[in-house]
C-alpha cells in the first residue's frame, strides 16, 4: 500500500493543489505507516497531520515531520481534525 500511496498522492497533489489550503489539521484514517499523510503535509506544511491506524500498525510507522502517529479503532472514535482523508 505504501508504494501505491506515493503514486496516487503525487497525482492527487499535482491536480488538487489548492484543496488543502483551508485545512490546519488532517487525519488519515487507516493511514498505515503514514506515507500518504506525510506526502500531504510535506506539500502543505501548514497542516498538522495525524496518521491514525490500529496500535500495532502505527507502532511500526516512521516519524515524519508534522505528523503524529495515533493508534486506535476507527469504529470506536477518530481523532478530531479539520478534515478526514481516506484512501
Amino acid at each position: 500500500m505504501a508504494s501505491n500511496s506515493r503514486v496516487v498522492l503525487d497525482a492527487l497533489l499535482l491536480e488538487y493543489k489548492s484543496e488543502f489550503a483551508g485545512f490546519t489539521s488532517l487525519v488519515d484514517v487507516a493511514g498505515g505507516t503514514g506515507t500518504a499523510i506525510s506526502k500531504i503535509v510535506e506539500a502543505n506544511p501548514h497542516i498538522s497531520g495525524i496518521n491514525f491506524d490500529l496500535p500495532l500498525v502505527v507502532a511500526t510507522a516512521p516519524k515524519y515531520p508534522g505528523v503524529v502517529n495515533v493508534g486506535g479503532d476507527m469504529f470506536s472514535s477518530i481523532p478530531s481534525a479539520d478534515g478526514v482523508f481516506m484512501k
Side-chain angles (χ1 to χ4, degrees):
M1 290 299 288
S3 61
N4 181 24
S5 289
R6 288 183 193 97
V7 173
V8 170
L9 262 295
D10 287 345
L12 180 118
L13 292 170
L14 184 64
E15 281 298 315
Y16 298 98
K17 294 177 185 172
S18 63
E19 275 66 17
F20 293 102
F23 293 102
T24 59
S25 60
L26 186 65
V27 59
D28 185 359
V29 177
T33 58
T35 303
I37 193 69
S38 70
K39 297 282 279 181
I40 293 170
V41 170
E42 181 181 347
N44 299 276
H46 65 280
I47 295 177
S48 296
I50 303 168
N51 177 40
F52 181 69
D53 210 313
L54 294 171
L56 64 106
V57 175
V58 296
T60 65
K63 305 280 188 224
Y64 295 105
V67 177
V68 175
N69 294 314
V70 176
D73 178 356
M74 71 179 180
F75 297 110
S76 297
S77 66
I78 296 172
S80 180
D82 292 339
V84 174
F85 181 79
M86 294 180 79
K87 179 183 77 49

